[in-house]
Amino acid sequence: MARPTPQRAELWADCRCSLAESPRWDDRTNQLLWVDLDAGDLWKARTDRTAPPDGGPVRVQFDRPTSVAVPRMDGGLLTAGPGGFVWTDRDGRPGRTVDLPEDWSVMRMNDGACDPAGRLLCGSTSREAGAGPGRLYQLDGDGRVRVLLDGLGMSNGIAWSPTGDTVYHVDSLAHEVAAHDYDVDGGALGDRRRFLVLEEDFGMPDGLTVDAEGFLWVAVWGAGRVLRCAPDGEVVSHVDVPARYVTACAFGGDSLSDLYITTARRPSTGRPPRAEPAAGGVFRCAPGTSGLPLSRFDG
């Protein structure tokens, strides 16, 4: 059977972030949230607007680099950055903190997401390759932390199957997406298996999401595309993005039927911004399927 014709995502928010990451749709506010990791900015824009959003996206400045901003059950956000985890209100004002045992001179926090029970899983990575091993942390609503994985090259995207019994996790430097059995009740990782491995000259897997049919959508850094993978790991289609450094993706909108894709434009990528004027923006397409509801942090 022939594969479907690739779709092409169109620019939705021309925010020109250095490193846009961690998109997620908040159904309480009807907004897409994402961060500019290096700048420490949270961006918000309503998804019921045409491209670009009417009035443009709103930027909230944090006081530190921020890799993840997850809506909380009780309101506000949980963020990850140098030092560990910080509870904030929706305007970025900090509250409770949980410190992590990392050498922040060489390490930083990276992508993360909440499991169906409301725990945050979020990884660390070295600022320069080989500076230190990455870890995958789990944070409970009461502030308890445990390390689920150690010795990672670059802990990155994470998402769960529709039933919650499988978690998918990216190690970008290994060019690999792994699948683990997952105990939602206890939060424990089970057996591991390789799900997807990309050739080094193709690009690195980065952020990912899962649709309602159980298919994975994997952003590929360096390839300008998002792959759609069947539950058995077969790549069945893809979305082309007019920016080479694709970082992550998430479903949003009232019916969760739009796919939003974040990208990077920072000079360290070696790709001059003038060659890709929309790089660092958020792109959107309607892939013909829908996503799963957001899991909020239970704390």
Side-chain angles (χ1 to χ4, degrees):
M1 180 182 297
R3 290 185 180 178
T5 301
Q7 288 187 285
R8 182 174 175 84
E10 302 297 333
L11 182 64
W12 176 73
D14 191 14
C15 50
R16 304 192 182 190
C17 294
S18 172
L19 182 56
E21 272 281 10
S22 188
R24 60 202 73 233
W25 186 69
D26 186 345
D27 59 346
R28 291 181 181 175
T29 62
N30 201 28
Q31 290 179 317
L32 188 77
L33 310 178
W34 68 97
V35 299
D36 187 348
L37 192 155
D38 292 333
D41 293 337
L42 170 72
W43 290 82
K44 304 184 286 187
R46 292 179 63 86
T47 59
D48 57 354
R49 299 289 189 254
T50 56
D54 289 355
V58 175
R59 183 177 65 171
V60 177
Q61 291 183 299
F62 291 148
D63 62 356
R64 63 178 188 162
T66 301
S67 66
V68 172
V70 179
R72 297 179 3 234
M73 284 285 191
D74 295 339
L77 300 166
L78 177 72
T79 67
F85 302 111
V86 179
W87 281 246
T88 79
D89 63 18
R90 295 199 68 85
D91 293 321
R93 289 183 287 267
R96 181 182 183 184
T97 64
V98 171
D99 296 331
L100 296 177
E102 297 275 4
D103 179 355
W104 299 111
S105 67
V106 297
M107 302 295 290
R108 66 173 174 84
M109 295 301 290
N110 210 31
D111 208 353
C114 289
D115 72 11
R119 307 176 192 90
L120 177 69
L121 273 65
C122 188
S124 65
T125 185
S126 59
R127 297 178 184 275
E128 297 182 7
R135 299 180 177 91
L136 179 65
Y137 292 96
Q138 183 184 81
L139 175 69
D140 292 338
D142 61 4
R144 290 180 299 178
V145 176
R146 60 174 166 169
V147 177
L148 297 184
L149 295 172
D150 203 346
L152 300 169
M154 180 184 288
S155 180
N156 220 317
I158 192 162
W160 283 261
S161 64
T163 57
D165 59 358
T166 300
V167 60
Y168 301 95
H169 176 246
V170 173
D171 186 339
S172 291
L173 293 186
H175 291 258
E176 180 179 287
V177 182
H180 295 259
D181 294 340
Y182 192 77
D183 174 17
V184 174
D185 292 334
L189 287 181
D191 291 342
R192 178 190 186 279
R193 57 195 178 277
R194 279 187 168 184
F195 178 81
L196 177 70
V197 179
L198 299 182
E199 297 292 335
E200 289 191 15
D201 59 357
F202 177 69
M204 294 193 305
D206 202 318
L208 53 79
T209 192
V210 176
D211 65 29
E213 300 174 70
F215 285 64
L216 265 70
W217 297 78
V218 182
V220 185
W221 175 273
R225 65 180 52 180
V226 177
L227 306 179
R228 189 188 191 214
C229 305
D232 63 3
E234 180 186 1
V235 178
V236 296
S237 63
H238 71 267
V239 176
D240 287 323
V241 183
R244 182 177 177 185
Y245 296 99
V246 181
T247 60
C249 54
F251 285 93
D254 289 340
S255 58
L256 295 173
S257 58
D258 291 323
L259 186 69
Y260 293 86
I261 302 165
T262 51
T263 64
R265 67 183 285 116
R266 57 182 180 178
S268 61
T269 61
R271 188 78 169 184
R274 64 179 178 272
E276 296 176 350
V282 180
F283 296 78
R284 180 172 69 176
C285 70
T289 188
S290 58
L292 298 169
L294 173 74
S295 293
R296 298 174 180 274
F297 181 66
D298 188 21

